Amino acid sequence: MSNEAKQRRVESTLALAPVVPVVIIDDASRAVGMARALVAGGVPAIEVTLRTPAALDAVRAIAAEVEGAVVGVGTVLTAKDLDAALKAGAQFAVSPGSSPRLLDAADDCELPLLPGAATASEAMALLERGYRFQKFFPAMPAGGPKLVGAWASPLPQIRFCPTGGISLANAPDFLALPNVACVGGSWLTPADKLAAGDVAGIEALAREAAQLKR
């Protein structure tokens, strides 16, 4: 698959809802209930981060059992991570930044990648590699909506998914920008609700997020 074809897949994934939940999961047995709650709430694209040993098992379970879910893998750093994500059934991958080795590996992998950028130079370098869709990370520490909004005029080809410090309160500030496709946030799947298996609470948070305007 060409990189442009993979970019179109990223575009369709980011268009599914205003928010992509960023999930840190410690117990893979909670994954299916969580994902079903997110899908029911109108937030079907789910990023499961590779920050815990349970992450890939969670992705496998979601991919196999949750109808309507578009599950991806986050915190992808290496070619090995990309390969593991693809084998687990992920439909997209997300990285906090980029490196030449990772981008080379992504060229050879069927899994669409959403790479991260925090500066105009990084965004331009990714654009040279064909990445019209990028993660702006860490969004709030790096400069927030003012910074990513300032890129809209000189870099109109790029659309961003800001992630990092995003909440229900500040998400609208990003979503109002012309170069923001959606945002990523961890507030939809808080650790206490995941640990308790509070799927009703997660679905309520998802419904609230799905109503955000963009």
Side-chain angles (χ1 to χ4, degrees):
M1 187 188 305
S2 69
N3 193 48
E4 178 54 32
K6 286 184 276 190
Q7 285 291 284
R8 290 194 295 270
R9 285 181 57 186
V10 170
E11 181 177 18
S12 64
T13 298
L14 300 185
L16 290 172
V19 183
V20 176
V22 179
V23 182
I24 302 171
I25 190 163
D26 293 304
D27 182 354
S29 71
R30 302 293 191 190
V32 168
M34 170 206 69
R36 285 177 176 157
L38 291 171
V39 172
V43 184
I46 305 164
E47 176 190 338
V48 179
T49 64
L50 291 179
R51 301 182 194 179
T52 69
L56 288 173
D57 285 339
V59 171
R60 290 186 193 97
I62 294 168
E65 300 181 42
V66 184
E67 185 177 356
V70 179
V71 64
V73 170
T75 322
V76 169
L77 306 178
T78 65
K80 183 179 178 181
D81 291 340
L82 278 174
D83 185 59
L86 183 63
K87 288 177 178 176
Q91 296 181 57
F92 65 98
V94 185
S95 61
S98 65
S99 69
R101 285 186 179 181
L102 178 63
L103 297 179
D104 287 345
D107 285 344
D108 296 330
C109 181
E110 290 297 297
L111 197 61
L113 176 66
L114 180 70
T119 68
S121 294
E122 291 172 359
M124 288 171 61
L126 287 170
L127 184 62
E128 287 183 355
R129 296 285 299 248
Y131 289 94
R132 298 182 290 106
F133 292 89
Q134 303 176 18
K135 172 179 176 174
F136 173 46
F137 178 83
M140 289 306 293
K146 287 187 177 180
L147 179 59
V148 71
W151 293 341
S153 180
L155 298 171
Q157 310 96 319
I158 307 173
R159 298 195 75 200
F160 294 93
C161 173
T163 305
I166 310 292
S167 67
L168 184 66
N170 63 23
D173 296 333
F174 289 95
L175 293 170
L177 299 171
N179 60 339
V180 168
C182 64
V183 298
S186 59
W187 84 88
L188 283 75
T189 55
D192 58 342
K193 293 190 185 301
L194 277 175
D198 183 4
V199 293
I202 291 171
E203 183 176 338
L205 291 172
R207 289 189 183 281
E208 192 174 36
Q211 298 304 311
L212 290 168
K213 303 296 184 185
R214 57 177 170 174

